[in-house]
Amino acid sequence: MTGHGKVFGIGLSRTGTTSLTSALHTLGFDVVHYPSDPATYATLLAGTARFPLLDRYDGITDITVAHLYQELDLLWPGAKFVLTVREERSWLRSCRKHWERPIESKADRGQVYVDLQRFLRAAVYGCHDFRPERFRRVAQQHTAAVTRHFAGRHEDLLTLDIAAGEGYERLAPFLGLPVPDQPFPHRNRTAADGNPR
């Protein structure tokens, strides 16, 4: 923990959440991207959002917390939330590519990882396989619901389109920090679209 307040990356998969995590590290926030430890999985199953990791870390990013933003907002008054978004067609292309690998093929990461991924895909997308119409609807509803929840609270929510080139010039001031003199990180680009995850 760094002494910062909490920060949560609540964008959906393939919207630049890995890049956001790296940028937050550069800004001094010790956040965890898509944790898959047993305690995190137990917390997800309990639906409480009381993640033990938050005793040691400044925040969590990716779909682990994307669907729990309301609970986290209640548990951590003053926390900052970053909603990463992305142009719909390139996002769907990236998701299609990402979902090609079956969950079961990731067993080398351990059974908890497989179980957690199955749970999160069902909880967030309502399915385990890539279904473009459902994904489109989920993304639209997620963005609308988050925006509605934080209406009038611009100091608490930043909507960031990393794939479109937004970066430190918006993220750093939102967190009350100077803009670093270095390029914004772009992680997990795929051959399918060349955009960051």
Side-chain angles (χ1 to χ4, degrees):
M1 292 233 317
T2 60
H4 293 296
K6 299 298 185 197
V7 60
F8 298 102
I10 56 172
L12 297 179
S13 315
R14 310 306 301 172
T15 61
T17 59
T18 307
S19 299
L20 172 65
T21 304
S22 184
L24 289 169
H25 288 162
T26 297
L27 291 170
F29 289 86
D30 191 8
V31 296
V32 184
H33 178 262
Y34 200 90
S36 58
D37 58 286
T40 294
Y41 183 45
T43 303
L44 287 168
L45 291 177
T48 66
R50 295 182 185 278
F51 294 99
L53 282 175
L54 294 174
D55 292 341
R56 303 189 313 276
Y57 292 94
D58 296 322
I60 301 171
T61 62
D62 209 308
I63 62 169
T64 310
V65 292
H67 64 299
L68 295 171
Y69 62 91
Q70 294 175 337
E71 290 84 352
L72 291 165
D73 191 28
L74 288 171
L75 286 170
W76 300 99
K80 301 286 189 181
F81 292 82
V82 181
L83 173 65
T84 45
V85 296
R86 182 170 172 182
E87 187 275 321
E88 189 175 87
R89 279 183 300 178
S90 78
W91 178 69
L92 287 171
R93 271 197 312 273
S94 185
C95 287
R96 178 186 302 279
K97 179 76 176 158
H98 187 64
W99 258 254
E100 281 176 358
R101 184 178 176 194
I103 294 173
E104 292 72 22
S105 73
K106 302 173 186 180
D108 57 314
R109 300 186 191 183
Q111 189 59 44
V112 170
Y113 182 89
V114 171
D115 292 343
L116 181 141
Q117 188 158 82
R118 290 182 69 82
F119 175 88
L120 282 173
R121 286 188 177 185
V124 175
Y125 299 103
C127 58
H128 289 163
D129 301 320
F130 176 71
R131 300 183 185 195
E133 288 308 316
R134 175 177 284 280
F135 275 51
R136 180 180 287 115
R137 210 164 42 246
V138 166
Q140 291 169 353
Q141 291 171 353
H142 182 64
T143 299
V146 169
T147 303
R148 212 168 30 247
H149 178 80
F150 289 101
R153 296 172 54 196
H154 302 295
E155 71 282 359
D156 296 331
L157 174 70
L158 173 68
T159 301
L160 192 66
D161 190 339
I162 294 169
E166 295 180 347
Y168 285 129
E169 79 288 345
R170 297 196 62 228
L171 180 62
F174 171 69
L175 297 170
L177 297 167
V179 176
D181 184 21
Q182 61 183 279
F184 194 85
H186 291 283
R187 305 283 184 247
N188 281 350
R189 291 177 184 268
T190 65
D193 55 32
N195 282 320
R197 178 174 171 202

